[in-house]
């Protein structure tokens, strides 16, 4: 089975089982903790942007791997337009149903490796939380090329990542965490035409990886490299 098909199948199954748990993964695994986690993570996202966003919160926001819109919906209140994309049609269907009262919000199913339905130079800010580290490295490479393409010049991406001694899971594992060393992070940024601005540790220590995840903030400073995002495997 090709990786894009497997990602779609696996996340559709999780959407059928318990989408609130799988997009938030709180210990309590209930609706209250889902909403509390959304409020907390959105606050951290916006707080980290404030020092580096030069002309305020406006323009368009893209949420990569939006699930059922846990962060996309509350963040829409801070931007002129918000778009969430996800590989799972079932996640997107539920996101559309849950948040159909928000006028400036749109949810789109994507292929799992490209953003071909989105125009180049169309988003001022990109958010991705607890998504990229769970994808195989060649999918992440394809995404970074696309993220650089859809960002406006000087646009910002703020994404959650794991940085440390390189650790990569089986290519068809759609849940395990990949850890990237600094040289790999730099290569992704170069692919997307990005320059890192800052990063912050997230207040969670993984006892197995013995690491804390980080928020990485990067700005588009050059054109993204052209890359074939049609994965064959």
């Amino acid at each position: 089975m090709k990786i894009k098909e497997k990602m779609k199948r696996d996340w559709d199954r999780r959407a059928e089982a318990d989408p609130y748990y799988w997009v938030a993964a709180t210990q309590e695994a209930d609706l209250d903790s889902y909403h509390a986690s959304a409020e907390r993570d959105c606050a951290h996202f916006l707080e980290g942007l404030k020092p580096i966003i030069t002309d305020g919160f406006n323009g368009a926001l893209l949420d990569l791997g939006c699930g059922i819109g846990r962060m996309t919906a509350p963040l829409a209140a801070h931007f002129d337009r918000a778009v969430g994309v996800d590989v799972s049609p079932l996640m997107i269907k539920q996101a559309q149903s849950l948040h159909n009262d928000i006028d400036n919000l749109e949810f789109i199913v994507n292929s799992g490796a490209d953003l071909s339905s989105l125009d180049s130079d169309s988003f001022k800010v990109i958010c991705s939380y607890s998504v990229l580290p769970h994808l195989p490295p060649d999918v992440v490479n394809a995404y970074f090329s696309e993220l650089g393409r859809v960002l406006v010049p000087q646009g910002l991406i703020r994404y959650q990542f794991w940085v440390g001694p390189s650790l990569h899971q089986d290519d068809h594992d759609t849940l395990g965490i990949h850890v990237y060393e600094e040289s790999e992070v730099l290569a992704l940024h170069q692919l997307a035409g990005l320059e890192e601005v800052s990063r912050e540790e997230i207040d969670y220590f993984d006892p197995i990886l013995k690491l804390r995840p980080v928020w990485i903030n990067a700005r588009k400073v050059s054109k993204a490299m052209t890359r074939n995002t049609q994965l064959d495997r």
Side-chain angles (χ1 to χ4, degrees):
M1 178 180 292
K2 293 183 178 181
I3 185 59
K4 291 191 291 186
E5 295 171 359
K6 189 170 190 299
M7 288 192 297
K8 175 182 174 181
R9 186 198 67 178
D10 289 357
W11 283 103
D12 271 350
R13 287 178 172 176
R14 291 163 189 151
E16 286 182 315
D18 188 347
Y20 292 99
Y21 172 74
W22 283 109
V23 300
T26 59
Q27 291 183 345
E28 298 84 359
D30 59 19
L31 198 55
D32 287 343
S33 65
Y34 166 85
H35 288 298
S37 73
E39 182 177 345
R40 179 190 67 242
D41 293 336
C42 285
H44 289 164
F45 178 81
L46 294 169
E47 182 182 344
L49 274 183
K50 282 180 182 178
I52 57 174
I53 198 164
T54 55
D55 55 351
F57 294 104
N58 50 51
L61 166 84
L62 173 65
D63 184 6
L64 176 68
C66 64
I68 58 175
R70 182 181 75 100
M71 292 182 67
T72 333
L75 287 175
H78 300 272
F79 293 87
D80 298 331
R81 173 179 175 236
V83 177
V85 297
D86 201 279
V87 69
S88 166
L90 288 184
M91 288 285 189
I92 291 296
K93 183 178 180 180
Q94 292 187 53
Q96 291 168 335
S97 176
L98 285 168
H99 308 296
N100 61 7
D101 59 331
I102 303 176
D103 292 336
N104 68 332
L105 180 59
E106 180 182 5
F107 292 102
I108 300 171
V109 178
N110 76 317
S111 73
D114 69 70
L115 302 170
S116 57
S117 62
L118 303 176
D119 292 336
S120 299
D121 301 332
S122 56
F123 291 93
K124 180 178 179 178
V125 174
I126 295 175
C127 168
S128 188
Y129 184 77
S130 195
V131 174
L132 292 166
H134 298 287
L135 305 178
D138 58 349
V139 175
V140 173
N141 272 269
Y143 263 139
F144 263 84
S145 179
E146 284 286 86
L147 293 172
R149 179 183 66 81
V150 302
L151 263 180
V152 300
Q154 298 300 308
L156 294 164
I157 175 171
R158 179 163 164 80
Y159 66 99
Q160 180 263 348
F161 223 45
W162 294 82
V163 183
S166 184
L167 174 66
H168 294 294
Q169 310 299 329
D170 180 86
D171 276 352
H172 281 73
D173 182 342
T174 63
L175 198 59
I177 294 172
H178 295 256
V179 180
Y180 289 75
E181 60 187 27
E182 293 289 353
S183 63
E184 293 175 303
V185 177
L186 180 60
L188 290 171
H189 287 176
Q190 291 174 337
L191 179 64
L194 300 172
E195 181 177 80
E196 183 171 332
V197 177
S198 58
R199 68 174 70 175
E200 312 111 52
E201 282 193 343
I202 295 172
D203 187 21
Y204 167 74
F205 183 77
D206 188 285
I208 297 174
L209 297 176
K210 301 190 183 306
L211 285 173
R212 296 182 188 274
V214 293
W215 279 112
I216 296 180
N217 305 308
R219 189 183 304 277
K220 180 178 175 180
V221 295
S222 62
K223 189 175 181 180
M225 296 182 188
T226 302
R227 182 182 176 90
N228 178 15
T229 57
Q230 303 302 314
L231 299 181
D232 294 326
R233 64 175 185 79

